[in-house]
Amino acid sequence: METVKIRLKEDIEIFGKKFYAGQVIEVSKETYKQIKDKAEKVKEENDAKPV
């Protein structure tokens, strides 16, 4: 299983676990894709909110 190390830019909760901004985690490529998709979704929601 290939893994990827990532540094989180903001706090997230995924799979019932909390991860914090600045934390470095090692995840599988499949999990990385899920985190990336979730981050993109949150960014789109934030961009769509009126100021």
Side-chain angles (χ1 to χ4, degrees):
M1 176 172 97
E2 280 190 58
T3 59
V4 178
K5 284 187 180 181
I6 58 173
R7 180 180 305 273
L8 301 173
K9 291 184 177 181
E10 53 186 66
D11 298 349
I12 62 166
E13 184 173 337
I14 193 165
F15 307 124
K17 292 184 180 179
K18 253 196 151 117
F19 298 98
Y20 301 97
Q23 187 175 1
V24 176
I25 59 175
E26 190 169 351
V27 296
S28 69
K29 285 193 172 189
E30 295 81 23
T31 302
Y32 172 72
K33 184 179 179 334
Q34 290 176 330
I35 292 171
K36 187 176 174 184
D37 290 345
K38 183 173 182 168
E40 287 174 359
K41 213 180 277 185
V42 168
K43 184 176 177 358
E44 288 173 4
E45 289 172 2
N46 289 342
D47 290 346
K49 289 181 184 176
V51 175

